[in-house]
Amino acid sequence: MIAFGPIPSRRLGLSLGINNIVARKVCSFSCIYCQIGKTVNRSIIREAFYQPEKLVENVKNHFNKLDADHAPDYLTFVSNGEPTLDINLGKEISLLKETFHIPVAVITNSSLMSNQQVREELLNADWVSLKVDSVEQETWEKINRHHPGINLEKVLEGIEIFAEQYKGRLHTETMLVEDVNDHHSSIDATSAFISKLNVETAYLSIPTRPPAEKTIKAISTENITKTWQMYQAKGIHTEMLTGFEGTNTGFTGNAFDDILNITSVHPLRDDTLKELLKKEKAGMEVVESLIYQRYIKKDHFEGHDYYIRNFHL
Ligand code: SF4
C-alpha cells in the first residue's frame, strides 16, 4: 500500500505518508542508523514503481477513510528507501498538488541532487528536507555507506544549485552518531556548507528508533548542545529533533493494513501501537498474527518495544 497515516511529525504537523517504493527497500545508501534495516542492494537507477495516476488514486482512497481530526497538514514522500529513485516523482508531485491542494513535502537523502532532472522535479515540492550528515569524504562514507556510483563533491554541488533555485521551504537534516560524525572538523565543515544554503531550518537528529547497526549510539546531550551552538554561530536557524513525535496516528479501520503500511517506513513504538489499536478497535492478536506470519518483527531500543516491517522473508 502506498498511503499511510497521517502520523505526527515533529516538523510537519500531521503528515500523510506516501511510500512510493513499497515492495522492497530501494536506496542509494545503507546508513548505519537506518531505522528500516540494512539496504540489501544499493541502487542509483531511477525506475518506475507505480503509474502516477494509480498512486494518486491510492492516496485518494486512503484520504477518504480519514476522520476530520486527522486531516493532514502535508502529503509527504517518505519511502521505503530513497523517494527520488522513483522516475515518476515529478509527475506525482504535480498530480497530488492539483488533486488535494495540500502542500507536498519530500524527505530525500540528497544522493541524486547531482542529477538536473531530480532537482527540477523537487523544485515543485512545497517543503524539501536534504540529508547532509557530513561533507567530509571519509565520515560521509562511514555513516551513509553510499552506492559506489555516487560522488560526494557532485552531490554537494547539486545541493548548492538547488538551494539557489528553490522557492519553497528548504531544510537540512543531520543525524548525529557518536564517534562517527560528531568530531569538531566534521561539524565545522558541515555547518559551514549548510550556512551557504539559506535554509529555513537545519535539523539535528539522533537515532531514536532501532538502528541498522546495533552498536551505534546517539551523541550525548552535551555534544548535541555544542553542535547546535556551532550551527547557530554560523547564522543557521537550528533545531534539535530529539523528542518523541507523539502517538496520534491516523487510522482507516483496517488495523492489519495500517500497521503494515506504517511499519514499512517508520517503526511503531509500543505506546503508539497501543493507541492505534484502540482507535481501530482491534487487539494485540492482530500484532501477534503479523509477527507469527513474519510480516513484522519486534525490536527493543532505549526502554521501548518497536514494531518494524520484516522485508527479509
Ligand atoms: S536512512 Fe534513508 S537514506 Fe539511509 S539507508 Fe535508510 S532509507 Fe536510505
Side-chain angles (χ1 to χ4, degrees), residues 29-280:
F29 286 169
S30 185
C31 302
I32 55 174
Y33 55 77
C34 186
Q35 62 184 26
I36 50 174
K38 286 183 193 164
T39 313
V40 179
N41 292 310
R42 288 164 303 175
S43 170
I44 49 168
I45 310 287
R46 299 192 83 200
E47 54 183 306
F49 298 99
Y50 290 98
Q51 286 292 327
E53 292 76 13
K54 193 181 162 210
L55 179 135
V56 174
E57 195 55 38
N58 181 285
V59 177
K60 212 189 271 176
N61 289 340
H62 184 86
F63 194 92
N64 289 340
K65 290 182 201 151
L66 300 175
D67 62 14
D69 289 346
H70 292 94
D73 301 305
Y74 275 91
L75 304 178
T76 309
F77 282 88
V78 48
S79 315
N80 179 28
E82 169 49 29
T84 63
L85 284 168
D86 176 3
I87 204 161
N88 290 320
L89 180 66
K91 181 141 193 234
E92 289 157 2
I93 294 172
S94 301
L95 281 176
L96 287 168
K97 288 179 71 160
E98 280 164 34
T99 311
F100 296 98
H101 306 287
I102 294 173
V104 172
V106 182
I107 298 176
T108 169
N109 70 11
S110 310
S111 61
L112 270 65
M113 293 308 282
S114 53
N115 179 324
Q116 190 185 344
Q117 179 63 33
V118 171
R119 292 198 299 269
E120 279 171 15
E121 291 173 21
L122 289 180
L123 287 177
N124 194 24
D126 301 280
W127 192 106
V128 171
S129 172
L130 302 170
K131 184 192 291 298
V132 187
D133 288 338
S134 183
V135 299
E136 280 183 341
Q137 182 73 30
E138 203 182 316
T139 310
W140 174 70
E141 285 179 12
K142 219 167 151 185
I143 193 163
N144 295 136
R145 300 190 296 197
H146 61 100
H147 182 283
I150 304 168
N151 176 304
L152 177 61
E153 232 171 88
K154 290 205 173 104
V155 168
L156 299 179
E157 207 178 281
I159 290 177
E160 286 194 70
I161 298 170
F162 180 74
E164 282 262 308
Q165 299 172 332
Y166 186 55
K167 301 276 182 273
R169 302 179 62 187
L170 184 63
H171 306 77
T172 55
E173 181 169 350
T174 303
M175 180 70 87
L176 295 162
V177 181
E178 191 175 80
D179 296 333
V180 179
N181 67 340
D182 62 341
H183 49 283
H184 188 274
S185 68
S186 177
I187 293 167
D188 192 42
T190 306
S191 53
F193 174 75
I194 292 172
S195 71
K196 295 189 280 182
L197 306 178
N198 201 17
V199 294
E200 184 177 308
T201 306
Y203 289 100
L204 300 175
S205 54
I206 54 167
T208 54
R209 302 189 188 95
E213 298 302 334
K214 301 292 176 225
T215 51
I216 70 159
K217 283 197 204 127
I219 71 169
S220 65
T221 319
E222 198 190 8
N223 276 344
I224 298 174
T225 312
K226 267 190 211 149
T227 307
W228 182 84
Q229 283 164 346
M230 283 173 72
Y231 272 59
Q232 287 284 117
K234 293 196 172 68
I236 310 166
H237 179 254
T238 312
E239 283 183 24
M240 299 191 281
L241 286 179
T242 53
F244 178 55
E245 296 95 333
T247 58
N248 186 23
T249 302
F251 65 102
T252 64
N254 183 335
F256 192 92
D257 278 356
D258 285 341
I259 293 168
L260 274 187
N261 294 340
I262 296 172
T263 53
S264 291
V265 295
H266 191 292
L268 268 173
R269 204 167 95 167
D270 42 17
D271 45 359
T272 309
L273 178 73
K274 214 168 138 194
E275 187 70 22
L276 178 65
L277 288 172
K278 204 166 128 195
K279 287 187 284 198
E280 308 267 19

